[in-house]
Amino acid sequence: MAAAKKAVLGPLVGAVDQGTSSTRFLVFNSKTAELLSHHQVEIKQEFPREGWVEQDPKEILQSVYECVEKTCEKLGQLNIDISNIKAIGVSNQRETTVVWDKLTGEPLYNAVVWLDLRTQSTVEALSKRIPGNNNFVKSKTGLPISTYFSAVKLRWILDNVRQVQKAVEENRALFGTIDSWLIWSLTGGVNGGVHCTDVTNASRTMLFNIHSLEWDKELCEFFGIPMEILPNVRSSSEIYGLMKAGALEGVPISGCLGDQSAALVGQMCFLDGQAKNTYGTGCFLLCNTGRKCVFSEHGLLTTVAYKLGRDKPVFYALEGSVAIAGAVIRWLRDNLGIIKTSDEIEKLAKEAGTSYGCYFVPAFSGLYAPYWEPSARGIICGLTQFTNKCHIAFAALEAVCFQTREILDAMNRDCGIPLSHLQVDGGMTSNKILMQLQADILYIPVVKPSMPETTALGAAMAAGAAEGVGVWSLAPEDLSAVTMERFEPQINAEESEIRYSTWKKAVKKSMGWVTTQSPESGDPSIFCSLPLGFFIVSSMVMLIGARYISGQP
């Protein structure tokens, strides 16, 4: 019997979407932007000490290979010829820091994740060295000195990991964010792997001058980072190298964007003033400010949005960053056991219909925008004997929406023109309760694309549009029309404001908990300064446990 004929769909483009909680590989039709197939693998997070968050770089790399192979198998089952995949883009969790040995290809330490807080005392010491009238770090990078960004994580690794110190001395060490680690490994690793990053990822290290688009000597000296370990900085859309193994060997890797920049591209926010909000592990609102750097007066970051080609102009964005969004759902699942799967949160929240005065501030890694308050910790307040797990679930979803309201308010004040609607994407947007809550709390419509994988789509668009690939046109007239789902506010403005002002009261109570020794030292006395939220949650767990025993819901 003759073999079934392979479907001809025109040029295809693949995208690696390496996030904090999972890795995915997705394949799109470059002419229609249709998602044809994908595969996803969850990634472990390790918490070796209070405030520390790590991942295994080898597990991350292996997950990419697995997702590529499985997606290619699925395409084969759909009778789609994988030889039509003409390019691959990479989108990644930003700031997460990896140091590896260029001779062996082995990581020299676990990846220190963007959420990690171990560097708080480093941040405090560095902040004291910046003159009050000349914050050269912020003016060059657009970023506040914070545990969030790569420079302080790398400084900690250089100070504390002997293996890394030795590798630097012997000129064997390479540093990179996750994109650099993946591209170096996928393009050959020890056998000629390309050590590079793109402007969007470089702009999140605190070592990169966002005006000159180069590593900055003064910044590297300030943080004590040897410049020879840094990757080459490239545009977000050009051929970096070829895949050297697996089903897609020989396919060019030609797109690279930090995940939030990729989502901005995937939402087609190419005009000054267009914005999107992505709901992933954290929550990130980006507004395109065109070719000009706009510095925030309300706690937002100035960052590189994209540079779609070597000879193309750079575009900038204002960004509101929230550390904990989807991560709070994972915490309810893995730490408290309130739900067995992340999808169950919607069912529980629907059952409650309200939080009944319970407010949850998930400041597990301090508060990011607009507060930049590292001393904050998570609290749940407004508990009564009536409160049950459904109310906690509802409060967790509300927390994501309230945090978005805070950064949207800051964005509106910085831009001067309030957004008339909010474009959204990311894994959490499949939760209809969350989307309706978001419209109610913002009191503007929330607009969601029917195909929510905009982060991967942005990376695929950059890869397909690269010079030497040229299978994806970014000309406005060629961009595919996207069907949208719209959520309108369903409560009155007064009720929305009352709920928001109560949330702000809860946020104030979350601040100032960590006032003693930094977790950086690992001293057990740190537990003496555990936040009240810890004890509230402990009490809540006991209450829920007691109700289960007594058969109550």
Side-chain angles (χ1 to χ4, degrees):
M1 184 177 163
K5 197 175 176 186
K6 297 278 185 186
V8 179
L9 293 168
L12 311 180
V13 180
V16 173
D17 181 3
Q18 204 300 299
T20 316
S21 54
S22 72
T23 298
R24 290 178 296 175
F25 185 70
L26 307 91
V27 173
F28 297 90
N29 183 326
S30 67
K31 299 304 175 196
T32 63
E34 179 193 358
L35 174 61
L36 299 175
S37 188
H38 74 285
H39 189 76
Q40 179 170 358
V41 173
E42 193 165 304
I43 299 292
K44 286 195 207 83
Q45 292 179 37
E46 298 173 27
F47 308 97
R49 294 184 188 176
E50 196 264 338
W52 293 29
V53 189
E54 297 180 359
Q55 291 180 323
D56 178 356
K58 289 174 79 173
E59 181 195 349
I60 289 172
L61 178 60
Q62 188 50 47
S63 71
V64 171
Y65 281 123
E66 182 180 340
C67 287
V68 169
E69 296 303 312
K70 296 282 188 193
T71 303
C72 288
E73 285 173 21
K74 289 177 183 179
L75 288 170
Q77 288 160 12
L78 293 168
N79 227 22
I80 295 169
D81 190 346
I82 62 170
S83 69
N84 282 326
I85 298 175
K86 302 302 181 189
I88 294 168
V90 174
S91 160
N92 57 286
Q93 53 170 310
R94 302 169 303 170
E95 301 95 16
T96 296
T97 298
V98 187
V99 182
W100 67 95
D101 187 320
K102 67 183 178 186
L103 301 182
T104 66
E106 291 293 310
L108 295 166
Y109 191 70
N110 268 349
V112 179
V113 176
W114 58 277
L115 287 164
D116 188 280
L117 288 176
R118 76 186 69 188
T119 56
Q120 185 52 40
S121 66
T122 305
V123 165
E124 287 162 10
L126 289 166
S127 297
K128 286 173 187 162
R129 289 172 45 202
I130 294 180
N133 61 348
N134 178 26
N135 189 341
F136 67 92
V137 174
K138 187 161 189 186
S139 64
K140 288 185 174 199
T141 67
L143 311 173
I145 293 191
S146 164
T147 58
Y148 182 18
F149 306 109
S150 311
V152 288
K153 300 177 193 300
L154 181 53
R155 180 68 260 152
W156 185 93
I157 291 170
L158 290 168
D159 286 340
N160 291 278
V161 183
R162 180 60 196 137
Q163 249 190 309
V164 172
Q165 294 164 358
K166 195 164 184 292
V168 170
E169 289 160 12
E170 296 171 2
N171 196 30
R172 291 184 285 110
L174 295 178
F175 152 78
T177 41
I178 294 295
D179 57 305
S180 298
W181 163 243
L182 292 180
I183 291 171
W184 183 83
S185 301
L186 296 172
T187 57
V190 295
N191 298 310
V194 178
H195 187 217
C196 70
T197 188
D198 90 300
V199 288
T200 68
N201 281 294
S203 76
R204 311 298 292 192
T205 60
M206 261 192 325
L207 302 169
F208 185 71
N209 187 314
I210 60 174
H211 310 285
S212 67
L213 303 182
E214 295 172 328
W215 298 121
D216 189 284
K217 191 167 184 290
E218 185 184 15
L219 290 170
C220 289
E221 284 172 359
F222 178 72
F223 289 104
I225 305 300
M227 294 184 79
E228 59 272 15
I229 71 173
L230 303 178
N232 292 319
V233 183
R234 312 274 286 270
S235 78
S236 310
S237 178
E238 61 179 272
I239 295 174
Y240 313 110
L242 306 180
M243 288 282 283
K244 287 294 167 69
L248 298 181
E249 186 176 350
V251 176
I253 299 174
S254 54
C256 179
L257 292 149
D259 51 9
Q260 302 315 316
S261 289
L264 195 72
V265 171
Q267 284 267 32
M268 299 174 208
C269 295
F270 293 125
L271 300 178
D272 192 340
Q274 289 187 313
K276 66 87 208 171
N277 197 39
T278 300
Y279 300 76
T281 297
C283 203
F284 302 90
L285 176 64
L286 266 72
C287 180
N288 189 331
T289 61
R291 297 186 196 183
K292 58 186 182 295
C293 276
V294 175
F295 282 85
S296 173
E297 293 176 12
H298 301 98
L300 303 180
L301 309 175
T302 303
T303 197
V304 174
Y306 51 80
K307 186 179 188 294
L308 294 172
R310 266 183 290 208
D311 303 321
K312 296 286 169 59
V314 64
F315 282 71
Y316 295 94
L318 273 175
E319 175 176 327
S321 317
V322 168
I324 303 294
V328 75
I329 312 305
R330 188 166 175 161
W331 182 81
L332 290 174
R333 184 193 73 183
D334 296 347
N335 292 40
L336 292 196
I338 282 178
I339 51 175
K340 287 191 174 67
T341 68
S342 297
D343 295 341
E344 282 177 41
I345 193 84
E346 186 171 6
K347 187 179 161 202
L348 285 186
K350 191 173 183 181
E351 209 173 301
T354 172
S355 66
Y356 275 104
C358 170
Y359 285 80
F360 191 163
V361 183
F364 302 153
S365 295
L367 290 168
Y368 284 11
Y371 302 101
W372 298 105
E373 182 49 74
S375 72
R377 287 296 179 273
I379 65 165
I380 300 174
C381 50
L383 295 173
T384 68
Q385 283 187 305
F386 182 70
T387 308
N388 64 31
K389 64 181 181 177
C390 298
H391 304 127
I392 303 291
F394 196 95
L397 294 183
E398 272 193 322
V400 175
C401 300
F402 286 131
Q403 290 180 105
T404 297
R405 166 79 188 263
E406 290 190 302
I407 54 177
L408 185 72
D409 283 357
M411 189 78 75
N412 286 339
R413 287 197 292 274
D414 275 325
C415 295
I417 304 166
L419 290 176
S420 59
H421 66 276
L422 183 66
Q423 287 180 231
V424 301
D425 58 78
M428 292 186 81
T429 60
S430 60
N431 185 322
K432 290 189 186 301
I433 299 268
L434 177 73
M435 293 295 94
Q436 187 56 56
L437 273 173
Q438 189 67 87
D440 290 345
I441 288 165
L442 297 180
Y443 212 66
I444 58 173
V446 168
V447 180
K448 171 195 157 191
S450 55
M451 199 288 292
E453 303 294 352
T454 51
T455 301
L457 177 61
M461 288 165 69
E467 188 181 342
V469 177
V471 298
W472 204 309
S473 171
L474 299 184
E477 63 274 14
D478 294 330
L479 294 173
S480 305
V482 179
T483 54
M484 297 283 192
E485 187 175 0
R486 194 175 174 95
F487 296 84
E488 299 282 350
Q490 290 182 356
I491 62 172
N492 64 51
E494 188 184 0
E495 186 187 341
S496 180
E497 288 305 315
I498 290 168
R499 282 158 71 173
Y500 183 48
S501 62
T502 311
W503 156 264
K504 301 274 273 187
K505 220 160 75 175
V507 169
K508 281 182 185 162
K509 291 182 187 300
S510 77
M511 294 182 188
W513 289 114
V514 181
T515 53
T516 60
Q517 196 169 346
S518 157
E520 194 166 344
S521 65
D523 191 313
S525 67
I526 185 64
F527 293 103
C528 298
S529 65
L530 277 172
L532 178 60
F534 176 85
F535 301 106
I536 290 171
V537 171
S538 301
S539 306
M540 180 193 74
V541 174
M542 287 191 279
L543 174 66
I544 291 168
R547 290 189 168 196
Y548 273 123
I549 292 165
S550 64
Q552 294 178 51

mmCIF file of all heavy atoms in Angstrom, residues 163-198:
data_model
loop_
_atom_site.group_PDB
_atom_site.id
_atom_site.type_symbol
_atom_site.label_atom_id
_atom_site.label_comp_id
_atom_site.label_asym_id
_atom_site.label_seq_id
_atom_site.Cartn_x
_atom_site.Cartn_y
_atom_site.Cartn_z
ATOM 1 N N GLN A 163 33.487 26.663 42.235
ATOM 2 C CA GLN A 163 33.609 26.084 40.884
ATOM 3 C C GLN A 163 33.559 27.164 39.801
ATOM 4 O O GLN A 163 34.281 27.119 38.808
ATOM 5 C CB GLN A 163 32.442 25.123 40.651
ATOM 6 C CG GLN A 163 32.851 23.661 40.593
ATOM 7 C CD GLN A 163 31.668 22.820 40.123
ATOM 8 O OE1 GLN A 163 30.573 22.915 40.658
ATOM 9 N NE2 GLN A 163 31.897 21.994 39.113
ATOM 10 N N VAL A 164 32.666 28.141 40.015
ATOM 11 C CA VAL A 164 32.512 29.232 39.053
ATOM 12 C C VAL A 164 33.729 30.156 39.109
ATOM 13 O O VAL A 164 34.265 30.560 38.065
ATOM 14 C CB VAL A 164 31.201 30.009 39.313
ATOM 15 C CG1 VAL A 164 31.129 31.260 38.440
ATOM 16 C CG2 VAL A 164 29.994 29.108 39.044
ATOM 17 N N GLN A 165 34.167 30.483 40.315
ATOM 18 C CA GLN A 165 35.356 31.341 40.474
ATOM 19 C C GLN A 165 36.543 30.741 39.720
ATOM 20 O O GLN A 165 37.256 31.437 38.983
ATOM 21 C CB GLN A 165 35.707 31.488 41.962
ATOM 22 C CG GLN A 165 34.669 32.246 42.773
ATOM 23 C CD GLN A 165 34.834 32.033 44.275
ATOM 24 O OE1 GLN A 165 35.705 31.283 44.719
ATOM 25 N NE2 GLN A 165 33.996 32.690 45.065
ATOM 26 N N LYS A 166 36.733 29.419 39.893
ATOM 27 C CA LYS A 166 37.863 28.724 39.266
ATOM 28 C C LYS A 166 37.724 28.755 37.731
ATOM 29 O O LYS A 166 38.692 28.996 37.006
ATOM 30 C CB LYS A 166 37.902 27.281 39.783
ATOM 31 C CG LYS A 166 39.202 26.536 39.515
ATOM 32 C CD LYS A 166 39.274 25.291 40.414
ATOM 33 C CE LYS A 166 40.592 24.558 40.266
ATOM 34 N NZ LYS A 166 40.776 23.932 38.951
ATOM 35 N N ALA A 167 36.497 28.536 37.249
ATOM 36 C CA ALA A 167 36.262 28.525 35.799
ATOM 37 C C ALA A 167 36.508 29.911 35.194
ATOM 38 O O ALA A 167 37.016 30.024 34.072
ATOM 39 C CB ALA A 167 34.836 28.062 35.506
ATOM 40 N N VAL A 168 36.163 30.963 35.923
ATOM 41 C CA VAL A 168 36.415 32.333 35.448
ATOM 42 C C VAL A 168 37.922 32.578 35.376
ATOM 43 O O VAL A 168 38.441 33.095 34.375
ATOM 44 C CB VAL A 168 35.727 33.376 36.360
ATOM 45 C CG1 VAL A 168 36.189 34.788 36.004
ATOM 46 C CG2 VAL A 168 34.201 33.277 36.241
ATOM 47 N N GLU A 169 38.636 32.157 36.437
ATOM 48 C CA GLU A 169 40.104 32.321 36.473
ATOM 49 C C GLU A 169 40.770 31.597 35.297
ATOM 50 O O GLU A 169 41.746 32.072 34.724
ATOM 51 C CB GLU A 169 40.661 31.770 37.797
ATOM 52 C CG GLU A 169 40.331 32.623 39.022
ATOM 53 C CD GLU A 169 40.463 31.835 40.330
ATOM 54 O OE1 GLU A 169 41.028 30.711 40.296
ATOM 55 O OE2 GLU A 169 39.981 32.326 41.367
ATOM 56 N N GLU A 170 40.222 30.431 34.943
ATOM 57 C CA GLU A 170 40.813 29.613 33.879
ATOM 58 C C GLU A 170 40.198 29.887 32.500
ATOM 59 O O GLU A 170 40.402 29.116 31.557
ATOM 60 C CB GLU A 170 40.672 28.130 34.250
ATOM 61 C CG GLU A 170 41.465 27.771 35.504
ATOM 62 C CD GLU A 170 41.159 26.356 36.007
ATOM 63 O OE1 GLU A 170 40.359 25.636 35.348
ATOM 64 O OE2 GLU A 170 41.705 25.975 37.063
ATOM 65 N N ASN A 171 39.367 30.951 32.421
ATOM 66 C CA ASN A 171 38.752 31.353 31.154
ATOM 67 C C ASN A 171 37.872 30.250 30.546
ATOM 68 O O ASN A 171 37.830 30.058 29.335
ATOM 69 C CB ASN A 171 39.828 31.799 30.151
ATOM 70 C CG ASN A 171 39.238 32.585 28.990
ATOM 71 O OD1 ASN A 171 38.211 33.258 29.160
ATOM 72 N ND2 ASN A 171 39.831 32.484 27.819
ATOM 73 N N ARG A 172 37.184 29.517 31.421
ATOM 74 C CA ARG A 172 36.286 28.444 30.951
ATOM 75 C C ARG A 172 34.808 28.814 31.118
ATOM 76 O O ARG A 172 33.932 28.113 30.619
ATOM 77 C CB ARG A 172 36.532 27.161 31.759
ATOM 78 C CG ARG A 172 37.861 26.489 31.515
ATOM 79 C CD ARG A 172 37.956 25.175 32.283
ATOM 80 N NE ARG A 172 38.167 25.361 33.717
ATOM 81 C CZ ARG A 172 37.268 25.110 34.665
ATOM 82 N NH1 ARG A 172 36.072 24.652 34.335
ATOM 83 N NH2 ARG A 172 37.557 25.290 35.941
ATOM 84 N N ALA A 173 34.507 29.888 31.856
ATOM 85 C CA ALA A 173 33.122 30.188 32.233
ATOM 86 C C ALA A 173 32.407 31.013 31.169
ATOM 87 O O ALA A 173 32.991 31.918 30.564
ATOM 88 C CB ALA A 173 33.097 30.941 33.560
ATOM 89 N N LEU A 174 31.143 30.674 30.937
ATOM 90 C CA LEU A 174 30.257 31.491 30.109
ATOM 91 C C LEU A 174 29.009 31.804 30.927
ATOM 92 O O LEU A 174 28.489 30.937 31.643
ATOM 93 C CB LEU A 174 29.839 30.743 28.835
ATOM 94 C CG LEU A 174 30.938 30.408 27.821
ATOM 95 C CD1 LEU A 174 30.338 29.630 26.652
ATOM 96 C CD2 LEU A 174 31.654 31.665 27.325
ATOM 97 N N PHE A 175 28.537 33.044 30.818
ATOM 98 C CA PHE A 175 27.284 33.446 31.478
ATOM 99 C C PHE A 175 26.217 33.650 30.422
ATOM 100 O O PHE A 175 26.498 34.092 29.296
ATOM 101 C CB PHE A 175 27.488 34.752 32.255
ATOM 102 C CG PHE A 175 26.224 35.568 32.382
ATOM 103 C CD1 PHE A 175 25.246 35.226 33.305
ATOM 104 C CD2 PHE A 175 25.981 36.671 31.548
ATOM 105 C CE1 PHE A 175 24.062 35.956 33.399
ATOM 106 C CE2 PHE A 175 24.806 37.409 31.644
ATOM 107 C CZ PHE A 175 23.850 37.054 32.576
ATOM 108 N N GLY A 176 24.982 33.390 30.800
ATOM 109 C CA GLY A 176 23.866 33.744 29.921
ATOM 110 C C GLY A 176 22.548 33.635 30.646
ATOM 111 O O GLY A 176 22.444 32.976 31.685
ATOM 112 N N THR A 177 21.541 34.298 30.105
ATOM 113 C CA THR A 177 20.171 34.020 30.523
ATOM 114 C C THR A 177 19.738 32.759 29.769
ATOM 115 O O THR A 177 20.503 32.203 28.974
ATOM 116 C CB THR A 177 19.275 35.248 30.240
ATOM 117 O OG1 THR A 177 19.617 35.809 28.968
ATOM 118 C CG2 THR A 177 19.467 36.314 31.309
ATOM 119 N N ILE A 178 18.527 32.294 30.003
ATOM 120 C CA ILE A 178 18.112 30.984 29.466
ATOM 121 C C ILE A 178 18.234 30.919 27.943
ATOM 122 O O ILE A 178 18.632 29.893 27.372
ATOM 123 C CB ILE A 178 16.672 30.644 29.918
ATOM 124 C CG1 ILE A 178 16.614 30.439 31.448
ATOM 125 C CG2 ILE A 178 16.142 29.415 29.198
ATOM 126 C CD1 ILE A 178 17.390 29.244 31.975
ATOM 127 N N ASP A 179 17.943 32.020 27.253
ATOM 128 C CA ASP A 179 18.061 32.028 25.787
ATOM 129 C C ASP A 179 19.482 31.695 25.356
ATOM 130 O O ASP A 179 19.699 30.909 24.428
ATOM 131 C CB ASP A 179 17.630 33.384 25.229
ATOM 132 C CG ASP A 179 18.444 34.532 25.829
ATOM 133 O OD1 ASP A 179 18.484 34.630 27.059
ATOM 134 O OD2 ASP A 179 19.053 35.320 25.082
ATOM 135 N N SER A 180 20.481 32.298 26.036
ATOM 136 C CA SER A 180 21.893 32.066 25.675
ATOM 137 C C SER A 180 22.289 30.612 25.888
ATOM 138 O O SER A 180 22.969 30.006 25.052
ATOM 139 C CB SER A 180 22.813 32.960 26.515
ATOM 140 O OG SER A 180 22.548 34.307 26.278
ATOM 141 N N TRP A 181 21.875 30.064 27.037
ATOM 142 C CA TRP A 181 22.178 28.667 27.357
ATOM 143 C C TRP A 181 21.585 27.735 26.300
ATOM 144 O O TRP A 181 22.250 26.807 25.811
ATOM 145 C CB TRP A 181 21.656 28.346 28.762
ATOM 146 C CG TRP A 181 21.510 26.903 29.114
ATOM 147 C CD1 TRP A 181 20.365 26.249 29.428
ATOM 148 C CD2 TRP A 181 22.560 25.916 29.230
ATOM 149 N NE1 TRP A 181 20.605 24.925 29.710
ATOM 150 C CE2 TRP A 181 21.950 24.689 29.601
ATOM 151 C CE3 TRP A 181 23.938 25.936 29.046
ATOM 152 C CZ2 TRP A 181 22.675 23.515 29.799
ATOM 153 C CZ3 TRP A 181 24.657 24.768 29.238
ATOM 154 C CH2 TRP A 181 24.033 23.576 29.613
ATOM 155 N N LEU A 182 20.330 28.008 25.921
ATOM 156 C CA LEU A 182 19.667 27.140 24.933
ATOM 157 C C LEU A 182 20.294 27.279 23.553
ATOM 158 O O LEU A 182 20.600 26.283 22.899
ATOM 159 C CB LEU A 182 18.171 27.456 24.869
ATOM 160 C CG LEU A 182 17.336 27.107 26.104
ATOM 161 C CD1 LEU A 182 15.881 27.484 25.898
ATOM 162 C CD2 LEU A 182 17.461 25.618 26.457
ATOM 163 N N ILE A 183 20.500 28.520 23.092
ATOM 164 C CA ILE A 183 21.047 28.713 21.737
ATOM 165 C C ILE A 183 22.458 28.132 21.647
ATOM 166 O O ILE A 183 22.800 27.457 20.674
ATOM 167 C CB ILE A 183 21.004 30.207 21.332
ATOM 168 C CG1 ILE A 183 19.555 30.654 21.143
ATOM 169 C CG2 ILE A 183 21.806 30.447 20.052
ATOM 170 C CD1 ILE A 183 19.367 32.154 20.943
ATOM 171 N N TRP A 184 23.295 28.354 22.683
ATOM 172 C CA TRP A 184 24.656 27.794 22.687
ATOM 173 C C TRP A 184 24.599 26.267 22.595
ATOM 174 O O TRP A 184 25.332 25.642 21.807
ATOM 175 C CB TRP A 184 25.385 28.223 23.962
ATOM 176 C CG TRP A 184 26.816 27.773 24.034
ATOM 177 C CD1 TRP A 184 27.903 28.378 23.465
ATOM 178 C CD2 TRP A 184 27.328 26.604 24.720
ATOM 179 N NE1 TRP A 184 29.058 27.677 23.752
ATOM 180 C CE2 TRP A 184 28.735 26.578 24.524
ATOM 181 C CE3 TRP A 184 26.741 25.602 25.481
ATOM 182 C CZ2 TRP A 184 29.549 25.583 25.058
ATOM 183 C CZ3 TRP A 184 27.551 24.602 26.014
ATOM 184 C CH2 TRP A 184 28.942 24.601 25.801
ATOM 185 N N SER A 185 23.716 25.659 23.388
ATOM 186 C CA SER A 185 23.613 24.187 23.422
ATOM 187 C C SER A 185 23.041 23.636 22.116
ATOM 188 O O SER A 185 23.551 22.653 21.563
ATOM 189 C CB SER A 185 22.736 23.749 24.601
ATOM 190 O OG SER A 185 23.270 24.211 25.832
ATOM 191 N N LEU A 186 21.966 24.272 21.599
ATOM 192 C CA LEU A 186 21.286 23.756 20.405
ATOM 193 C C LEU A 186 22.129 23.930 19.139
ATOM 194 O O LEU A 186 21.980 23.175 18.182
ATOM 195 C CB LEU A 186 19.936 24.462 20.218
ATOM 196 C CG LEU A 186 18.884 24.230 21.317
ATOM 197 C CD1 LEU A 186 17.672 25.139 21.102
ATOM 198 C CD2 LEU A 186 18.446 22.770 21.389
ATOM 199 N N THR A 187 23.034 24.918 19.143
ATOM 200 C CA THR A 187 23.864 25.163 17.951
ATOM 201 C C THR A 187 25.217 24.459 18.025
ATOM 202 O O THR A 187 26.124 24.791 17.264
ATOM 203 C CB THR A 187 24.079 26.672 17.712
ATOM 204 O OG1 THR A 187 24.688 27.233 18.893
ATOM 205 C CG2 THR A 187 22.785 27.390 17.416
ATOM 206 N N GLY A 188 25.359 23.507 18.941
ATOM 207 C CA GLY A 188 26.581 22.701 18.967
ATOM 208 C C GLY A 188 27.269 22.611 20.305
ATOM 209 O O GLY A 188 28.111 21.731 20.513
ATOM 210 N N GLY A 189 26.966 23.528 21.240
ATOM 211 C CA GLY A 189 27.593 23.454 22.562
ATOM 212 C C GLY A 189 29.107 23.521 22.470
ATOM 213 O O GLY A 189 29.668 24.439 21.850
ATOM 214 N N VAL A 190 29.773 22.522 23.032
ATOM 215 C CA VAL A 190 31.248 22.514 23.045
ATOM 216 C C VAL A 190 31.827 22.432 21.624
ATOM 217 O O VAL A 190 32.981 22.766 21.411
ATOM 218 C CB VAL A 190 31.804 21.347 23.910
ATOM 219 C CG1 VAL A 190 31.427 21.538 25.367
ATOM 220 C CG2 VAL A 190 31.304 19.999 23.401
ATOM 221 N N ASN A 191 31.008 22.006 20.679
ATOM 222 C CA ASN A 191 31.471 21.911 19.282
ATOM 223 C C ASN A 191 30.982 23.106 18.466
ATOM 224 O O ASN A 191 30.212 22.983 17.524
ATOM 225 C CB ASN A 191 30.969 20.598 18.652
ATOM 226 C CG ASN A 191 31.515 19.385 19.376
ATOM 227 O OD1 ASN A 191 32.720 19.308 19.600
ATOM 228 N ND2 ASN A 191 30.642 18.468 19.769
ATOM 229 N N GLY A 192 31.429 24.280 18.891
ATOM 230 C CA GLY A 192 31.136 25.486 18.104
ATOM 231 C C GLY A 192 29.816 26.160 18.391
ATOM 232 O O GLY A 192 29.319 26.922 17.545
ATOM 233 N N GLY A 193 29.237 25.893 19.557
ATOM 234 C CA GLY A 193 27.978 26.549 19.923
ATOM 235 C C GLY A 193 28.105 28.068 19.926
ATOM 236 O O GLY A 193 29.147 28.619 20.265
ATOM 237 N N VAL A 194 27.022 28.752 19.533
ATOM 238 C CA VAL A 194 27.035 30.214 19.406
ATOM 239 C C VAL A 194 26.626 30.840 20.735
ATOM 240 O O VAL A 194 25.513 30.594 21.228
ATOM 241 C CB VAL A 194 26.067 30.669 18.288
ATOM 242 C CG1 VAL A 194 26.040 32.189 18.178
ATOM 243 C CG2 VAL A 194 26.457 30.028 16.959
ATOM 244 N N HIS A 195 27.537 31.644 21.312
ATOM 245 C CA HIS A 195 27.274 32.280 22.608
ATOM 246 C C HIS A 195 26.727 33.685 22.346
ATOM 247 O O HIS A 195 27.473 34.632 22.118
ATOM 248 C CB HIS A 195 28.562 32.345 23.430
ATOM 249 C CG HIS A 195 28.352 32.830 24.831
ATOM 250 N ND1 HIS A 195 29.254 33.634 25.492
ATOM 251 C CD2 HIS A 195 27.333 32.623 25.702
ATOM 252 C CE1 HIS A 195 28.812 33.889 26.712
ATOM 253 N NE2 HIS A 195 27.646 33.289 26.854
ATOM 254 N N CYS A 196 25.399 33.798 22.357
ATOM 255 C CA CYS A 196 24.784 35.092 22.043
ATOM 256 C C CYS A 196 23.510 35.281 22.848
ATOM 257 O O CYS A 196 22.989 34.342 23.467
ATOM 258 C CB CYS A 196 24.495 35.213 20.545
ATOM 259 S SG CYS A 196 23.171 34.140 19.953
ATOM 260 N N THR A 197 23.010 36.497 22.836
ATOM 261 C CA THR A 197 21.706 36.834 23.396
ATOM 262 C C THR A 197 21.108 37.893 22.484
ATOM 263 O O THR A 197 21.753 38.330 21.525
ATOM 264 C CB THR A 197 21.836 37.348 24.852
ATOM 265 O OG1 THR A 197 20.525 37.486 25.428
ATOM 266 C CG2 THR A 197 22.546 38.700 24.925
ATOM 267 N N ASP A 198 19.872 38.295 22.751
ATOM 268 C CA ASP A 198 19.307 39.385 21.954
ATOM 269 C C ASP A 198 19.137 40.614 22.841
ATOM 270 O O ASP A 198 19.292 40.548 24.061
ATOM 271 C CB ASP A 198 17.966 38.967 21.325
ATOM 272 C CG ASP A 198 16.783 39.283 22.218
ATOM 273 O OD1 ASP A 198 16.735 38.764 23.347
ATOM 274 O OD2 ASP A 198 15.921 40.084 21.815
#
